[in-house]
Amino acid sequence: MAEENVAMELKLYNTMTKQKEVFKSKEPGKVRMYVCGVTPYTSSHIGHARAYVAFDVLYRYLKYLGYDVVYVRNFTDIDDKIINEAKKREENHDPIALSCQFSQEFLKDMDDLQVLPPTHQPRVTEHMDQIKDMIANIISNGYGYTIDGDVYFSVDSFPEYGRLLSGGRKLEDNRAGARKGEVDLRKRNTADFALWKAAKSGEPHWDSPWGPGRPGWHIECSAMSAHYLTHSFDIHGGGMDLKFPHHENEIAQSCAACPESNVSYWMHNGFVKDRDGEKMSKSLGNFFTIRDVTRLYHPLALRYFLLGTHYRSDVNYSISQIEIASDSVFYIYQTLRDTEEALLSSVFQQLRTDETIRDVARVSSEAEKCIKKLRNELETKLADDLHTPTILNAALQEALGLMNSYLNMLKKRQMQQRQEQLFLSLTELEKEVKAVLDVLGLLAARSTYAEVLQQIKERALKRAELTEEDISRAIEERALARKNKEFARSDQIRSDLVAKGIALMDIGRETVWRPCVRPGPGE
């Protein structure tokens, strides 16, 4: 089983207990995980990317450890926000069609970000029977009550309500609607929340024992997680903003419907904030959509940026930071491409087909040490509550640096080591780096190294508002200036391009270009 094969214990921070705990699945070798999905009424923003990239790393690492993982991530495809957005767009616009449109857009964004598809992606509109059955159980068990076609959960009937609240936060401060002056006086307690909402004219609705209507927000996740994972499963995740009231309400209604309901580990990721430290959100209007970013930066750059901060910490988004991440991804893929070309070169032509090479040569001690360190960093840092930043900033950079050192030796014909050893060392380093990138979701699934590099360069040109022809002309003008010994002019051309994020590099008699980080804050 997976637990028996893991050298390092996996520890995850449990929001419920407010401490890191050794992970132990309910069923040996198998993990059941639910992560709250999006409400698709407009384009998804980078806060969504933060959540689903974080849980994608967990998903990938659990699979890496050998677990059989059932991962469920839902779509809330009917909701007040969807209905209101549909009304704003045009008369009689179908809310379900609108949510379907943005669900598909979300899936494309996730695919671009290398987020693996979950095992199940249920939609609320396709699980009305399960939702109504759970509400009926809650009412029959004495935790719910009806008013004029609405069904509410009675918070007072559940003494343990409030377990996920952070220390020092008073339940009274979170009474539903109290802060907005929207208290429904029909409710027994202002904190009571809707399980079923009576139908309103012109809005989608479904028949139920309490009259036509639709589900409240929270009941859907309880019903769908129970349907796909049973009432007792391993991990429930989502953004920190879902801790209360959404997850708190889930706990209450799940336990009310089934006393054996239990989630072992509650996990929450931190916020994405703007440069002023304000949480990005649709309601505040200070957010960037995923497509706002990936139009100008490669999706892998956004993913790299998000992995550069621990998933539980808040991350401040800035143009300068995304440019640094883009530069890092370019360096990774340039190194991989150069290594690939070297291993396919005439220098190693015979060695590529020699099946006995491993019998006569070994990886260099330096490369062997580097490989072991990289593998150890991957396993120990991810085992420590998914600590991705250390992997990116230390062991991975060391491995890439050694690969480039070997590549420079080849270029300069400084082959103090035997060709067989250099070939094996580069081969094994590339293999290990790819394995690490794969677990982190940074290994392009459908593009070659060269294609990723070209995609990064195309976006750099778009940011700079330049074309390849513009760059070629600048290179020619600089070459002419240098020929005429107009070195100030030559330097100015180069500086002007750097200010736009384009670096010229002289390699022998040829000048090439690559994206670079613009000087200054870049905001």
Side-chain angles (χ1 to χ4, degrees):
M1 294 301 177
E3 288 96 337
E4 298 170 350
N5 296 329
V6 179
M8 177 65 65
E9 288 182 323
L10 171 60
K11 293 183 179 180
L12 299 174
Y13 185 86
N14 190 344
T15 309
M16 179 66 75
T17 61
K18 298 176 177 54
Q19 63 182 2
K20 281 192 283 190
E21 299 176 352
V22 174
F23 177 75
K24 185 173 179 61
S25 60
K26 292 180 181 293
E27 185 178 353
K30 296 184 178 180
V31 175
R32 287 171 293 178
M33 177 170 73
Y34 187 94
V35 174
C36 292
V38 294
T39 301
Y41 66 97
T42 186
S43 298
S44 297
H45 55 71
I46 58 177
H48 295 127
R50 178 84 198 285
Y52 304 121
V53 165
F55 286 103
D56 182 62
V57 172
L58 175 60
Y59 184 33
R60 288 171 178 270
Y61 189 55
L62 289 169
K63 289 160 69 76
Y64 172 84
L65 294 177
Y67 286 102
D68 178 14
V69 186
V70 178
Y71 176 19
V72 182
R73 187 187 68 210
N74 73 296
F75 283 106
T76 300
D77 62 342
I78 185 64
D79 179 85
D80 290 337
K81 294 176 180 177
I82 297 171
I83 293 171
N84 293 335
E85 182 65 24
K87 289 178 178 177
K88 285 192 295 184
R89 286 175 174 254
E90 60 181 69
E91 187 177 357
N92 298 323
H93 190 93
D94 182 10
I96 306 300
L98 180 73
S99 64
C100 183
Q101 171 193 333
F102 286 111
S103 294
Q104 292 304 120
E105 183 178 301
F106 169 82
L107 292 174
K108 176 62 168 62
D109 288 339
M110 293 299 102
D111 187 58
D112 288 344
L113 289 170
Q114 301 274 125
V115 173
L116 296 175
T119 315
H120 303 287
Q121 300 188 78
R123 299 170 188 261
V124 173
T125 55
E126 298 171 355
H127 294 78
M128 288 298 168
D129 288 342
Q130 292 85 357
I131 291 170
K132 287 184 284 187
D133 286 346
M134 179 168 276
I135 294 173
N137 286 338
I138 292 172
I139 294 173
S140 65
N141 290 339
Y143 294 92
Y145 59 95
T146 62
I147 304 176
D148 302 327
D150 292 321
V151 182
Y152 289 98
F153 184 93
S154 173
V155 169
D156 291 333
S157 67
F158 191 72
E160 294 182 298
Y161 189 77
R163 285 185 289 174
L164 274 178
L165 289 175
S166 58
R169 188 175 180 183
K170 296 179 181 179
L171 186 58
E172 289 73 16
D173 294 337
N174 298 282
R175 297 303 188 191
R179 287 167 292 172
K180 299 179 181 179
E182 300 172 354
V183 177
D184 185 344
L185 298 179
R186 301 176 305 157
K187 294 194 294 184
R188 298 174 183 174
N189 185 317
T190 55
D192 292 350
F193 55 90
L195 300 173
W196 187 260
K197 296 182 176 183
K200 294 181 181 179
S201 177
E203 295 184 357
H205 60 270
W206 290 259
D207 290 334
S208 81
W210 318 284
R214 56 186 171 86
W217 173 31
H218 316 292
I219 190 66
E220 61 185 65
C221 287
S222 289
M224 290 189 287
S225 62
H227 178 68
Y228 289 96
L229 304 174
T230 77
H231 284 277
S232 181
F233 56 96
D234 299 296
I235 298 169
H236 195 314
M240 192 66 70
D241 55 328
L242 297 182
K243 186 168 64 171
F244 189 93
H246 185 53
H247 288 166
E248 195 68 60
N249 292 352
E250 275 194 66
I251 293 171
Q253 63 200 7
S254 293
C255 291
C258 176
E260 291 75 33
S261 178
N262 175 263
V263 174
S264 298
Y265 305 88
W266 287 87
M267 298 179 64
H268 297 88
N269 62 275
F271 298 127
V272 176
K273 296 186 174 182
D274 61 23
R275 59 183 177 182
D276 296 322
E278 189 77 36
K279 175 201 164 189
M280 286 190 182
S281 69
K282 292 178 180 177
S283 61
L284 294 175
N286 64 340
F287 67 94
F288 293 96
T289 68
I290 294 171
R291 295 189 178 192
D292 286 338
V293 179
T294 57
R295 183 177 65 86
L296 296 176
Y297 299 92
H298 197 282
L300 287 176
L302 177 54
R303 185 175 180 112
Y304 189 101
F305 162 74
L306 295 171
L307 295 179
T309 301
H310 187 261
Y311 80 93
R312 284 193 291 114
S313 300
D314 294 340
V315 55
N316 291 326
Y317 178 83
S318 69
I319 299 302
S320 58
Q321 290 302 309
I322 196 71
E323 288 195 350
I324 291 171
S326 179
D327 196 59
S328 297
V329 173
F330 192 90
Y331 173 64
I332 291 170
Y333 276 83
Q334 187 68 63
T335 302
L336 289 172
R337 182 191 179 193
D338 291 347
T339 301
E340 180 182 60
E341 291 181 345
L343 294 174
L344 293 173
S345 67
S346 58
V347 176
F348 293 138
Q349 187 173 4
Q350 183 177 348
L351 299 178
R352 290 201 307 273
T353 58
D354 188 349
E355 297 180 358
T356 65
I357 182 174
R358 294 181 184 277
D359 297 329
V360 298
R362 292 191 56 175
V363 172
S364 71
S365 59
E366 188 179 25
E368 187 174 18
K369 180 180 178 181
C370 186
I371 289 168
K372 287 182 178 179
K373 180 178 179 180
L374 182 55
R375 185 177 305 153
N376 181 68
E377 286 286 287
L378 174 73
E379 295 178 353
T380 58
K381 298 306 179 185
L382 289 185
D384 183 18
D385 197 32
L386 309 179
H387 210 288
T388 55
T390 306
I391 303 169
L392 295 177
N393 297 327
L396 180 61
Q397 298 304 315
E398 184 177 326
L400 294 169
L402 184 57
M403 291 168 71
N404 278 299
S405 176
Y406 288 159
L407 291 170
N408 286 331
M409 288 172 55
L410 280 173
K411 290 177 183 177
K412 297 177 181 179
R413 299 291 190 267
Q414 295 175 345
M415 301 172 69
Q416 299 95 333
Q417 297 166 295
R418 292 167 54 188
Q419 283 192 13
E420 294 88 347
Q421 186 178 65
L422 194 59
F423 176 80
L424 273 180
S425 297
L426 277 171
T427 299
E428 294 303 311
L429 280 166
E430 181 197 30
K431 179 181 177 182
E432 194 63 31
V433 166
K434 287 173 62 178
V436 170
L437 294 176
D438 188 43
V439 177
L440 296 176
L442 291 169
L443 187 64
R446 290 178 295 278
S447 299
T448 65
Y449 303 148
E451 287 170 342
V452 172
L453 291 171
Q454 182 58 32
Q455 291 160 8
I456 295 173
K457 293 179 76 171
E458 287 170 356
R459 286 168 170 81
L461 289 175
K462 186 177 292 186
R463 296 194 301 273
E465 299 182 336
L466 296 171
T467 65
E468 289 275 8
E469 291 73 19
D470 293 330
I471 304 295
S472 295
R473 281 195 295 271
I475 290 174
E476 291 173 2
E477 290 176 13
R478 177 171 173 267
L480 181 61
R482 294 175 72 185
K483 181 179 179 180
N484 295 333
K485 297 186 179 182
E486 298 173 352
F487 298 116
R489 171 63 178 155
S490 169
D491 292 342
Q492 188 62 50
I493 292 172
R494 191 171 196 170
S495 297
D496 290 345
L497 288 175
V498 167
K500 294 184 177 183
I502 305 294
L504 299 184
M505 304 171 63
D506 298 316
I507 302 177
R509 296 183 177 180
E510 183 183 10
T511 299
V512 298
W513 74 273
R514 57 152 292 173
C516 68
V517 178
R518 288 176 289 179
E523 298 296 338

